[in-house]
Amino acid sequence: MWCQSCREEYGEVDAGTCKECYEEASETEEELKREIEDLKSKVAFLRLSPPSLELNLSPSASAPDFLLVASSHPPSSTPAVPAHRAVLISRSPVFRAMLESDMEESRSGMIKISDVSYDVLRSFVNYLYTAEILLDEQMACDLLVLAEKYQVKYLKAFCEKFMTSKVNNENAIINYAFAHRHNAKQLLEAAVSLIMDNMSTLVERSEYKELVEKDPRLVVEIYEAYLNKQVNTAPKI
């Protein structure tokens, strides 16, 4: 038989395609599904915007009425990030509660955000407007924390997906602890899977020794998960 895709001969008589082309097509289908899900999430996020506001950062847009400041840096050396009240309250329930009340931020027109760099804050605000973000591993980590704090769930999910794709033997323990702190289930599962596969070298890693000192409870959970896996995969007698 001849494969309908690559036209190479193969031995299976009823599939219509060779194993290599079938696997490649399956991978392509999964990639398309992931892209479609990403687009659906982006559309859902952008639909949260108020229809009365033109969502862009051009000079022709209505003037921003709020300033966000990365308060971990001196105000004199860090520029503020401008934003519209309507965008902030439509994207984040935390901002909505803050700005629709008589809190200081609502009166002053300034929101101070602690423990964040200017670049991360600027990327965060840009995402609120466009649902677009350029990530590296550190930016994804910082933005996930910020997205969790202000309950921007679409951004948190996007950052978690990116971080999950970057999990490897070198960073699995760090990501495991991070995922625990920030309720990132997908990242947690990916990190646990790698840790389980490398238990023999676990105690030799500096990240493991640091985790023992800082949060031994998580170490116990790792070993409990490992023992459960051994029990579940043991051959039946």
Side-chain angles (χ1 to χ4, degrees):
M1 293 291 292
W2 298 89
C3 174
Q4 296 176 4
S5 298
C6 68
R7 310 309 299 173
E8 294 290 333
E9 188 175 6
Y10 69 100
E12 299 171 4
V13 296
D14 58 350
T17 185
C18 65
K19 180 180 179 181
E20 289 77 10
C21 288
Y22 177 80
E23 291 177 348
E24 183 178 349
S26 298
E27 291 175 0
T28 302
E29 183 180 0
E30 288 302 315
E31 289 176 1
L32 288 173
K33 287 180 180 179
R34 288 193 292 269
E35 289 179 5
I36 290 171
E37 289 303 314
D38 287 343
L39 287 172
K40 285 181 178 179
S41 295
K42 182 180 292 187
V43 169
F45 181 75
L46 291 174
R47 281 178 177 169
L48 296 174
S49 63
S52 61
L53 181 63
E54 181 185 0
L55 293 183
N56 63 66
L57 299 175
S58 68
S60 61
S62 57
D65 43 9
F66 267 84
L67 296 175
L68 282 73
V69 178
S71 62
S72 58
H73 298 273
S76 59
S77 64
T78 304
V81 181
H84 296 84
R85 175 193 291 261
V87 173
L88 297 177
I89 65 175
S90 67
R91 297 293 195 250
S92 161
V94 176
F95 283 140
R96 178 181 293 114
M98 183 186 298
L99 302 182
E100 290 185 343
S101 66
D102 194 36
M103 295 179 67
E104 179 184 349
E105 290 84 356
S106 182
R107 298 192 304 270
S108 68
M110 180 178 291
I111 301 173
K112 295 181 180 180
I113 299 182
S114 60
D115 301 323
V116 64
S117 70
Y118 168 74
D119 288 340
V120 172
L121 180 57
R122 183 178 60 180
S123 296
F124 177 67
V125 173
N126 183 69
Y127 183 88
L128 299 184
Y129 278 82
T130 66
E132 296 284 348
I133 200 74
L134 183 62
L135 296 178
D136 57 29
E137 291 182 55
Q138 186 60 53
M139 180 65 76
C141 178
D142 293 340
L143 281 174
L144 188 149
V145 175
L146 199 55
E148 180 184 38
K149 180 178 180 180
Y150 290 98
Q151 297 179 27
V152 186
K153 63 178 182 178
Y154 295 103
L155 176 56
K156 181 181 178 182
F158 188 76
C159 291
E160 182 180 356
K161 182 178 179 181
F162 179 88
M163 293 180 68
T164 300
S165 72
K166 301 297 182 181
V167 175
N168 55 45
N169 292 339
E170 299 299 317
N171 62 27
I173 296 175
I174 293 174
N175 276 306
Y176 175 78
F178 178 88
H180 252 285
R181 291 195 300 271
H182 299 287
N183 193 29
K185 183 178 179 181
Q186 183 182 9
L187 179 61
L188 184 71
E189 291 176 350
V192 167
S193 178
L194 272 176
I195 292 171
M196 295 299 98
D197 291 340
N198 295 275
M199 285 294 289
S200 60
T201 60
L202 181 68
V203 295
E204 300 172 4
R205 304 193 64 84
S206 60
E207 297 90 345
Y208 170 80
K209 295 174 183 177
E210 184 177 346
L211 191 62
V212 171
E213 293 293 327
K214 291 186 175 180
D215 199 340
R217 175 182 58 88
L218 294 188
V219 176
V220 172
E221 290 186 11
I222 289 174
Y223 279 100
E224 286 179 346
Y226 179 71
L227 291 173
N228 286 335
K229 180 181 178 181
Q230 297 303 305
V231 170
N232 293 333
T233 57
K236 304 295 183 180
I237 299 176

